[in-house]
Amino acid sequence: VLLAAPRSPAAPVVVRVVAANLTSDRYQRWSPDNGNHSNPEGAGARILKALRPDVVLIQEFNTSIPVRQWVNATFGPDHAFTREEGSGIPNGVISRFPIAASGEWDDPVLANRDFAWARIALPGGRPLWAVSVHFHAKRSDNRRLEAEALLACLRREVPEGDMVVLGGDFNTRTADEPCLAALAGYFR
């Protein structure tokens, strides 16, 4: 998870953020429990329950039950969420803080998912932009293109002084991949 924050002092707010890509394949499903332990998606929900995150940047956000029901069972009814619409393996954001606005920015490489974002209203009035991504698995040059497109969206949409957290499945193979180098200039 990467965080960009302005350098001005502000009242501290502790926010526990996790990225969650705990399922696999285009036919995966998150479920709220594991029943007889034959269901790996239930294990993922149990991991998230144990971590007790404030914000979840979730990938492959299909569920075996209605999404609101899954969020309630996994985190509680007080958690807000947003999820891409119409994508095969959508990204999403879940938050214990209110989501003031949300949407998705186009992933120029992949047709079955985009970059899901939520502007979260933190205590004290300072917004946190949470962005969930799932970069291309096969080619580093595609991941670089995705990072550059995402950076253009962040620079265009996020006001100066707002905080940003980015997380998800970057699918990188090495620490010196071009997509990470591109993101490092924004997320310091």
Side-chain angles (χ1 to χ4, degrees):
V1 177
L2 303 172
L3 176 65
R7 296 173 190 219
S8 62
V13 175
V14 176
V15 180
R16 184 182 307 199
V17 180
V18 299
N21 186 359
L22 303 175
T23 65
S24 185
D25 199 359
R26 72 182 67 171
Y27 303 109
Q28 92 308 339
R29 293 287 182 264
W30 289 84
S31 68
D33 58 43
N34 203 23
N36 64 5
H37 303 289
S38 63
N39 167 343
E41 295 82 20
R46 286 194 330 274
I47 290 168
L48 291 172
K49 284 180 189 180
L51 291 173
R52 298 178 43 187
D54 298 310
V55 175
V56 181
L57 308 171
I58 190 167
Q59 295 75 56
E60 301 180 4
F61 193 14
N62 291 315
T63 58
S64 61
I65 59 178
V67 178
R68 177 77 262 171
Q69 186 179 345
W70 183 84
V71 170
N72 289 354
T74 305
F75 302 102
D78 58 330
H79 281 66
F81 73 92
T82 184
R83 179 178 80 159
E84 292 180 69
E85 295 299 322
S87 295
I89 50 176
N91 292 306
V93 177
I94 303 165
S95 174
R96 84 171 172 92
F97 303 107
I99 295 177
S102 63
E104 59 191 79
W105 296 318
D106 184 52
D107 181 325
V109 174
L110 296 167
N112 63 350
R113 57 192 177 248
D114 286 319
F115 311 133
W117 62 268
R119 186 168 38 85
I120 298 171
L122 293 179
R126 195 142 156 236
L128 171 67
W129 291 70
V131 184
S132 177
V133 301
H134 192 168
F135 285 174
H136 193 266
K138 302 231 184 321
R139 298 180 46 172
S140 66
D141 58 332
N142 282 337
R143 291 188 289 277
R144 180 188 48 78
L145 290 172
E146 289 171 306
E148 290 170 354
L150 175 62
L151 288 168
C153 293
L154 291 168
R155 290 182 177 118
R156 180 181 65 243
E157 301 293 334
V158 178
E160 186 72 30
D162 284 5
M163 296 181 294
V164 179
V165 64
L166 169 66
D169 190 344
F170 295 109
N171 275 312
T172 54
R173 305 296 188 265
T174 65
D176 62 347
E177 276 210 22
C179 71
L180 297 176
L183 293 169
Y186 186 86
F187 295 94
R188 46 191 182 293

